[in-house]
Structure formats: C-alpha cells, structure tokens
Amino acid sequence: MNEERFTGKADFYDKYRPSYPDGLIDWLYEKTNADTVADIGAGTGKFTRCLIKKPWRVTAVEPNSDMLEKLKTIKEIAVVQASAENTGIERASIGLVTVAQAFHWFDEELFKKECMRILKRDGKLAIVFNERNYDGCEISHMRDEICQRYCGAFHSGHVGKRTHEEGDLFLKNEYFSKAECFFAENNIKMDEQSFIGDTLSRSYALKETDSDFSRFVGELKDVYSKFEQNGAVIIKYMSSCYLGEF
C-alpha cells in the first residue's frame, strides 16, 4: 500500500467525499453476527462513521498520518496506525473486517492472509465501493475527460485496476470462496465547492503546488456551471458491497 498517496488531501477527503447509504450498513448488520469490526484503510473515517451507528466495537486502521488525525476525532472507536497487510490486531479477534474505497491500494494476497489471521472462525470481509454511475450522468464523463488531460495517474474502474465487470468476477469467483452482494443507488447533491473538493480529494488529482492546478480547477468550474441547477448538480453513484468468506 502506498501510504503517502493521500498526504495533503485529508481535508478535502473528510469534507467532500460522499458517504454511504444507511441501507448498506443495515444489510451488513443483518448478514453478520459480528460484535467486533476492523475498518481497514479507514482514511478520515467516512465509512467508520457509518459503522458506529450500530452497536459494534469498531477498530479503525490507517497508515497515513494526515488521514489519521481526522480519524482520531471519532471518539467511539479505537484507532491503529498500521498497514492493511500488517494491522497488529490480535489473532482471531474480529467478527467483521471492512474496507471501503481502499482495496485497490492493498497487496490483495497479503491482505487476505491478514484477514484470515485476525478474523474469527465465522468472520467475514466486506469490500465496499462508491463508484460513479455514468449512466445518464454526462457531468461525470466530462469531469473524467478533464482528469485524463491533467492527471497522469488518473484511473477509474471497479477497484482502480479492473473494470467493474472484471472486479465483480474477481471478487465473487476468485478472491472469496463464497460471497453475497449488495448494490444501492447513492446519488449526491453537490454545490460547486463540493464538486471541486471531491475531485481534489482523489489520489490522482493535482495539488495546489502543481503548475497546471489553476487551469485544472478552472475547467472543473466550467463543467460544473454547465450542469448547475438551483445551485447544485447531482452526481450519480452506486454503492456496492461484497461480503465474503475465505
């Protein structure tokens, strides 16, 4: 895992990344008998804050120091600074491991071994995504075109390195021995500041110190203004969860 990829982006991430639908958390709670949850690659705690709506004992694991400072503001959880592949969590102590919007940064096989080490015998892993739903959402297509021009590390797809279809097959047929899936629309209303901030929170996005930053943000503002109605745009997302066993 590249532990410094989000250095300098914690404020944007915490303020502007979309959260997750309550129905996803309800589904996870109903599908597991867990009393303990480890949220791995927790970032600033976007998904962790959803987890504490249920009576789980939650431990959040995050390696990046900037993100960790935001995570520590969540008083109801335990926080560990560690990598996904070496969490330091006690063996066979966790009923549910979750990873939201971070799986593509992990060494998949080492992470699987770590999950098998820390999970109880009937424990499960939930891999969660907020993916842009491009169907009928032209603003997301145009945003990506801008990012492709300016951001050399731009990526999209199911887990950052596979298409949605490839990732779906990989998780259901290769990574897990058995998996159940949850999908729900998660459409987000954004004003201009949120639209720009969400883009700047991405690992590939330019930083203020980059020479093309002003032009990059200017083009994002132009796209926003093209689609804005009553001070906002709607960005279509699909929230998905793969709940599996090894």
Side-chain angles (χ1 to χ4, degrees):
M1 181 175 181
N2 188 334
E3 297 176 1
E4 300 303 320
R5 197 69 183 261
F6 286 93
T7 296
K9 294 181 179 286
D11 285 340
F12 288 122
Y13 201 109
D14 195 46
K15 290 179 183 177
Y16 302 120
R17 278 294 182 101
S19 188
Y20 301 83
D22 289 341
L24 191 161
I25 306 302
D26 292 340
W27 182 79
L28 272 179
Y29 189 70
E30 293 168 3
K31 287 289 182 178
T32 64
N33 296 314
D35 57 356
T36 52
V37 181
D39 190 27
I40 311 297
T44 65
K46 301 297 290 193
F47 193 69
T48 319
R49 288 183 174 88
C50 297
L51 291 171
I52 61 174
K53 296 175 183 178
K54 301 296 183 184
W56 286 312
R57 295 195 306 276
V58 178
T59 299
V61 178
E62 170 59 39
N64 182 275
S65 296
D66 284 1
M67 307 289 263
L68 201 74
E69 289 307 306
K70 301 290 185 183
L71 192 59
K72 287 178 178 177
T73 65
I74 307 174
K75 302 303 183 184
E76 300 90 339
I77 66 172
V79 176
V80 177
Q81 185 169 17
S83 70
E85 300 85 359
N86 185 19
T87 65
I89 293 174
E90 184 179 350
R91 182 182 300 274
S93 63
I94 300 296
L96 173 65
V97 170
T98 61
V99 50
Q101 212 70 6
F103 181 67
H104 52 288
W105 301 119
F106 302 168
D107 181 306
E108 295 165 351
E109 290 307 311
L110 290 179
F111 177 59
K112 178 189 285 191
K113 289 179 181 178
E114 180 67 352
C115 287
M116 294 172 71
R117 186 187 71 81
I118 68 176
L119 281 171
K120 298 177 181 179
R121 185 163 59 177
D122 60 347
K124 296 181 180 181
L125 166 62
I127 298 176
V128 180
F129 305 102
N130 259 336
E131 297 179 89
R132 284 191 177 85
N133 179 1
Y134 290 94
D135 186 18
C137 193
E138 188 180 354
I139 187 172
S140 288
H141 285 289
M142 295 184 71
R143 170 208 168 272
D144 282 6
E145 289 173 2
I146 294 169
C147 290
Q148 284 174 331
R149 287 199 301 274
Y150 284 96
C151 309
F154 173 77
H155 61 74
S156 61
H158 190 258
V159 289
K161 52 190 174 185
R162 299 181 179 92
T163 65
H164 173 86
E165 292 75 17
E166 290 168 345
D168 182 74
L169 291 172
F170 170 72
L171 291 174
K172 290 192 293 190
N173 299 335
E174 297 181 42
Y175 201 66
F176 292 120
S177 62
K178 181 171 66 174
E180 298 180 82
C181 301
F182 173 95
F183 299 95
E185 289 186 358
N186 186 25
N187 298 335
I188 308 295
K189 180 183 286 189
M190 294 184 180
D191 60 15
E192 183 184 75
Q193 187 175 19
S194 299
F195 178 72
I196 302 298
D198 176 53
T199 304
L200 295 180
S201 78
R202 305 291 160 170
S203 63
Y204 49 76
L206 297 187
K207 296 182 180 181
E208 196 169 359
T209 52
D210 291 316
S211 59
D212 286 334
F213 181 80
S214 294
R215 287 190 292 274
F216 175 57
V217 171
E219 290 197 25
L220 290 172
K221 288 182 177 181
D222 289 344
V223 166
Y224 173 86
S225 65
K226 180 177 180 178
F227 292 93
E228 176 268 328
Q229 292 185 352
N230 300 317
V233 296
I234 301 297
I235 305 299
K236 298 173 67 175
Y237 281 89
M238 179 66 69
S239 293
S240 59
C241 178
Y242 294 77
L243 180 64
E245 303 172 22
F246 298 115

